[in-house]
Amino acid sequence: MGSIIGTMGCSSSVADRKSENVIRAAILIQKWYRFTMARLEMRRRYSLSIFQSIEYADEQDQLQLSNFFTFMLDHCTHPDAVSQIFTSPSAPQVVDEDLCLKEFEKKIDVPDSYYGPRLSFPLTVEDANALLHAFRNEQLLHARYVLQLLSETRRVLKEMPNITHLSTSYSKEITVCGDLHGNLDDLLLIFYKNGLPSEQNRYVFNGDFVDRGKNSMEILIILFAFLLIYPNDLHLNRGNHEDYIMNLRYGFTKEVSKKYKDHWKQILCLLRDVFSWLPLATIIDSKVLILHGGISDTTDLDFLNALERNKLKSLMRPPKSVRNRQDQVKKRIPTTKPSKHIANQHVAGKTQHISSSGFTEPSGSDLPPDPALKEWKQILDILWSDPRSQNGCTPNKCRGGGCYFGPDVTAKLFERYNLKMLIRSHEFKPEGYEISHDGKVITIFSASNYYEEGSNRGAYIKLNPELTPRFVQYQVSKFTRRQNLRERVGTIESSALKSLREKIYAHRSELISAFAQYDVNGTGRISVNDWAAAMESVLQLELPWRMLRSQLAQMNSDGEVDFMSCFYDLKMGQPTKEAQPALAETLCRYRKDLEIIFNIIDKDHSGLISVEEFSQTWRLFTSHLGIDTQDDSIDKLVLSIDYNKDGHIDFNEFLEAFHVVHRLEKKATS
């Protein structure tokens, strides 16, 4: 009996040990899994931070570029060459305000070979369905119908107030969508999941329909068609990208010119007007304010509702009275070159205040109040601002326009107008939405895969009569379903680091100078802390540089960074011996800007401009931005690529030579 009990006890202890081993193994696997997931999430987050920081830095550059556009439009020695797209009254491409639908029919032929949708006005639901079917199959709508649609859209928008008031009592729910940015697949997926707009299925689209994506035109056509069919049930707010100068930089102008080679200038002229007539905000049940960007401590909804919104065709080109006022301020204040991140500074004993709009004026200024300035700043703030968790209202230093507004600013506006919720867009969110300010502010972003395939979800909001928000998330997935999580994160990380390396190379000279300040002995090596400080001082991207160091620069056994290794994997596209290193770097940095400017000058859209136009534009550009380059060096460079010596150059080919090439394309690893 004793031996039997002993045997049973032995078996029990063996089973216990096995059970303990299983538990230990499970705990180890769980720890490994959690560590792996945390590491992947960290990589995903810093990749998205890189994308967003570069995007905001690009918007700051856009504001600087907008001043140059204004300068060119006002002072260029060949105004017909530069401003013909938008300002020349004699240009036959400009669409007459009084052109009616019948006149478009007479002026523009639709050939029998055209197999796309043929629209007749007033539009019906069948027309809208035909458009959806055509765009799913990558067909274009003929230019005649585009112009007719835009003309009718302008007519309807002109009848609408600046702030639209809606009520949930007329339908069960209202759907609110955020930025689409030319991603047609997102719009089609929203309609598939949520149904097409109708009297029973009402929508508010909160701006930024265009730019960045490749199907901005198709999105506008679909939204405008449903607006004409259901003007009381589909509502559109203006975003900061419904702006013709923004469109020059971020792709929409180029998209239209490629898709409508014969009528692109007419379409863009009409769109400039249509954008200016888009309502500025929507209020639901007198409680929910919907606008694109945000608010400031001076936001006045009554003032916004009363101003003439169509006067501001572009917020990037302030009214002339505002520009004259800025010139007066410059004359009164000694010239300085402040950091783009400094909001307040002291000049000659006076405090120089930079408002949320970026307008600089000394405190206690005796300049008289300017109504145009107030209108411009009010609209700029609601289209460009972002919420933050800290109280107060400060200039939006990341974007360069609008402001950061805190919970106290939100509470103050809500108290004044008896509101309970602010829905805004304008800002990328990984999950498609974000709730802030104790649930009072909701950000909704509807463009999935915004930075890269798999980078984020899109979302929309459904508001019921109790005004309780319900979020619906989605993600268009063409390739990501075939990838596991590690592969998806690797793709996002690789793309983000590629963009960052290009940014680094474009500031090569400045970075080397910054590194040299820490390298007092000329060893070519500095500490990680010094390397990170130098990177931030030049690039000002507010990134976790110490964490990124292993991806960007090599470190020796002593823990010092070989700072020149930042540039080892990069080179210029097709180096030309006539291009001095400093000139090549400048062309690389401003390549996007120059492409936009040269496309404006290229009147016949041939891709060719004269050597003289090129040189003159370059001198104006460098003079305006304070770039120190030698005139003869650019002249020699331009002449060297006039291969057939006919006095013209292919500027796209020229600029392509100054893009950054990644010599060793590193694939993301765990």
Side-chain angles (χ1 to χ4, degrees):
M1 187 74 177
S3 62
I4 294 171
I5 293 170
T7 304
M8 288 177 64
C10 183
S11 300
S12 176
S13 64
V14 169
D16 288 345
R17 282 198 299 273
K18 282 184 178 178
S19 178
E20 285 176 12
N21 288 338
V22 168
I23 292 170
R24 283 198 191 100
I27 291 170
L28 284 172
I29 291 170
Q30 189 179 57
K31 282 183 177 179
W32 172 85
Y33 177 77
R34 286 176 176 172
F35 174 78
T36 302
M37 294 304 292
R39 187 179 172 84
L40 286 172
E41 179 61 16
M42 179 189 71
R43 287 169 56 194
R44 188 182 76 94
R45 286 190 182 186
Y46 80 58
S47 299
L48 296 179
S49 294
I50 290 170
F51 279 127
Q52 195 162 47
S53 295
I54 291 175
E55 178 187 355
Y56 288 174
D58 203 39
E59 288 181 345
Q60 288 187 50
D61 292 342
Q62 167 64 29
L63 290 172
Q64 187 181 41
L65 179 64
S66 70
N67 292 333
F68 179 64
F69 277 126
T70 299
F71 172 76
M72 287 188 77
L73 292 170
D74 288 344
H75 304 294
C76 186
T77 54
H78 299 294
D80 60 319
V82 178
S83 59
Q84 183 177 346
I85 294 178
F86 299 116
T87 60
S88 174
S90 60
Q93 292 85 1
V94 174
V95 180
D96 192 330
E97 181 85 26
D98 300 321
L99 269 180
C100 68
L101 297 175
K102 293 291 183 187
E103 286 175 309
F104 278 123
E105 286 184 26
K106 294 175 189 173
K107 288 174 179 288
I108 303 174
D109 249 358
V110 180
D112 294 336
S113 58
Y114 170 71
Y115 291 105
R118 292 177 180 266
L119 303 184
S120 57
F121 295 83
L123 293 181
T124 64
V125 176
E126 287 71 28
D127 291 314
N129 284 326
L131 289 170
L132 289 167
H133 177 76
F135 295 155
R136 282 193 192 100
N137 292 288
E138 300 184 353
Q139 288 181 304
L140 281 181
L141 181 64
H142 193 275
R144 181 215 278 180
Y145 303 122
V146 173
L147 288 164
Q148 287 180 312
L149 179 72
L150 294 178
S151 181
E152 283 294 280
T153 301
R154 177 174 61 184
R155 180 184 62 78
V156 170
L157 289 175
K158 287 172 75 170
E159 300 301 315
M160 293 183 173
N162 294 353
I163 299 177
T164 308
H165 287 262
L166 304 180
S167 171
T168 54
S169 63
Y170 295 107
S171 64
K172 292 180 181 177
E173 292 181 310
I174 294 177
T175 302
V176 183
C177 300
D179 301 33
L180 288 166
H181 278 303
N183 289 344
L184 178 62
D185 288 339
D186 286 311
L187 179 62
L188 296 177
L189 185 57
I190 290 169
F191 286 164
Y192 174 77
K193 291 172 73 72
N194 195 60
L196 295 176
S198 68
E199 291 175 357
Q200 291 75 40
N201 193 24
R202 305 168 84 192
Y203 279 89
V204 177
F205 286 89
N206 199 24
D208 278 13
F209 320 118
V210 302
D211 281 333
R212 303 188 188 280
K214 64 179 182 179
N215 293 114
S216 297
M217 197 67 224
E218 287 76 8
I219 285 176
L220 286 181
I221 290 168
I222 290 169
L223 293 180
F224 290 163
F226 277 113
L227 175 72
L228 295 181
I229 298 165
Y230 300 111
N232 297 316
D233 305 297
L234 183 132
H235 302 274
L236 307 174
N237 288 340
R238 186 177 183 177
N240 66 308
H241 278 264
E242 278 66 65
D243 182 307
Y244 72 95
I245 288 183
M246 291 289 286
N247 301 154
L248 282 164
R249 184 181 182 94
Y250 292 104
F252 182 48
T253 299
K254 196 170 186 177
E255 178 191 329
V256 175
S257 67
K258 282 188 172 182
K259 290 179 177 176
Y260 294 97
K261 289 183 170 60
D262 296 329
H263 299 92
W264 65 285
K265 290 183 181 178
Q266 291 172 283
I267 291 170
L268 287 174
C269 275
L270 195 43
L271 274 168
R272 180 180 70 149
D273 216 24
V274 169
F275 286 165
S276 73
W277 281 109
L278 286 168
L280 301 174
T282 302
I283 296 178
I284 298 177
D285 291 345
S286 302
K287 293 294 182 184
V288 179
L289 173 64
I290 306 170
L291 42 75
H292 180 71
I295 58 175
S296 74
D297 53 1
T298 60
T299 295
D300 185 335
L301 297 182
D302 297 324
F303 182 82
L304 283 165
N305 200 35
L307 57 76
E308 295 178 56
R309 67 180 185 270
N310 67 303
K311 288 197 301 186
L312 281 169
K313 308 295 185 193
S314 172
L315 290 167
M316 300 294 96
R317 192 171 189 231
K320 194 157 189 175
S321 62
V322 175
R323 302 200 300 273
N324 292 340
R325 188 182 183 92
Q326 288 172 328
D327 290 339
Q328 290 179 52
V329 169
K330 285 177 184 176
K331 288 176 184 176
R332 295 177 184 216
I333 300 173
T335 303
T336 61
K337 194 172 182 181
S339 164
K340 61 185 175 182
H341 286 280
I342 296 174
N344 292 288
Q345 51 194 311
H346 294 277
V347 182
K350 291 186 179 181
T351 300
Q352 184 183 356
H353 176 67
I354 303 176
S355 74
S356 60
S357 64
F359 176 70
T360 308
E361 185 165 293
S363 60
S365 170
D366 57 354
L367 293 174
D370 181 8
L373 169 62
K374 184 177 180 182
E375 290 178 356
W376 174 63
K377 185 184 179 305
Q378 286 278 321
I379 297 178
L380 189 76
D381 282 345
I382 65 168
L383 297 191
W384 277 84
S385 297
D386 294 310
R388 67 170 188 175
S389 55
Q390 297 87 356
N391 280 337
C393 185
T394 58
N396 194 327
K397 63 181 182 179
C398 286
R399 293 188 189 270
C403 71
Y404 293 122
F405 63 98
D408 58 327
V409 177
T410 299
K412 181 181 172 185
L413 188 87
F414 281 20
E415 183 180 357
R416 180 177 176 183
Y417 294 103
N418 195 25
L419 299 167
K420 65 174 284 187
M421 189 188 303
L422 168 63
I423 298 176
R424 43 90 60 178
S425 304
H426 188 48
E427 211 175 355
F428 164 88
K429 297 297 173 188
E431 296 302 315
Y433 73 94
E434 185 177 82
I435 302 171
S436 56
H437 293 188
D438 297 320
K440 294 177 181 176
V441 175
I442 296 174
T443 298
I444 192 74
F445 194 83
S446 299
S448 68
N449 308 308
Y450 179 60
Y451 291 126
E452 179 61 64
E453 182 81 21
S455 64
N456 66 288
R457 297 180 182 182
Y460 55 86
I461 302 173
K462 295 187 75 67
L463 281 177
N464 61 20
E466 288 74 42
L467 301 179
T468 304
R470 180 166 66 89
F471 301 98
V472 180
Q473 296 171 290
Y474 55 87
Q475 188 164 21
V476 174
S477 54
K478 293 181 179 177
F479 309 109
T480 49
R481 282 183 182 173
R482 291 178 243 152
Q483 294 181 316
N484 60 37
L485 180 61
R486 186 190 298 272
E487 290 170 334
R488 289 201 299 271
V489 171
T491 300
I492 297 165
E493 182 184 45
S494 177
S495 180
L497 290 170
K498 182 178 178 181
S499 297
L500 182 56
R501 289 188 187 108
E502 290 172 3
K503 191 86 174 171
I504 289 168
Y505 194 84
H507 292 79
R508 188 173 186 271
S509 297
E510 293 169 77
L511 283 168
I512 291 172
S513 296
F515 294 146
Q517 290 180 13
Y518 293 103
D519 182 24
V520 290
N521 297 320
T523 62
R525 298 183 299 275
I526 55 178
S527 71
V528 174
N529 283 347
D530 290 344
W531 178 84
M535 294 291 281
E536 182 58 33
S537 69
V538 173
L539 299 177
Q540 298 185 7
L541 294 175
E542 298 182 5
L543 289 173
W545 294 110
R546 291 170 188 80
M547 185 189 298
L548 292 170
R549 195 279 316 155
S550 62
Q551 299 282 2
L552 300 173
Q554 298 171 7
M555 190 165 66
N556 66 12
S557 56
D558 295 329
E560 293 181 313
V561 178
D562 173 4
F563 55 78
M564 290 304 293
S565 64
C566 293
F567 315 111
Y568 285 171
D569 295 344
L570 306 167
K571 67 174 184 177
M572 204 67 73
Q574 299 165 7
T576 309
K577 63 182 180 181
E578 286 81 3
Q580 299 298 319
L583 175 61
E585 186 181 319
T586 302
L587 285 164
C588 172
R589 186 184 308 182
Y590 294 103
R591 194 166 62 90
K592 282 185 184 176
D593 304 339
L594 290 167
E595 182 184 4
I596 295 160
I597 295 161
F598 293 145
N599 271 305
I600 294 176
I601 296 171
D602 179 24
K603 291 173 286 189
D604 60 358
H605 206 56
S606 65
L608 300 173
I609 60 172
S610 72
V611 171
E612 184 183 353
E613 281 180 318
F614 187 106
S615 298
Q616 185 183 38
T617 304
W618 173 255
R619 289 187 180 93
L620 284 169
F621 184 73
T622 53
S623 171
H624 187 77
L625 294 181
I627 301 168
D628 186 21
T629 59
Q630 296 178 349
D631 289 343
D632 61 340
S633 61
I634 192 69
D635 290 342
K636 286 178 184 175
L637 185 59
V638 172
L639 289 170
S640 73
I641 31 180
D642 178 13
Y643 299 117
N644 58 4
K645 305 304 176 189
D646 66 348
H648 288 80
I649 62 168
D650 182 330
F651 63 84
N652 287 312
E653 187 176 305
F654 171 77
L655 293 175
E656 187 61 22
F658 295 96
H659 79 284
V660 176
V661 173
H662 299 251
R663 283 187 279 207
L664 302 171
E665 199 66 65
K666 292 182 180 176
K667 293 185 178 179
T669 55
S670 58

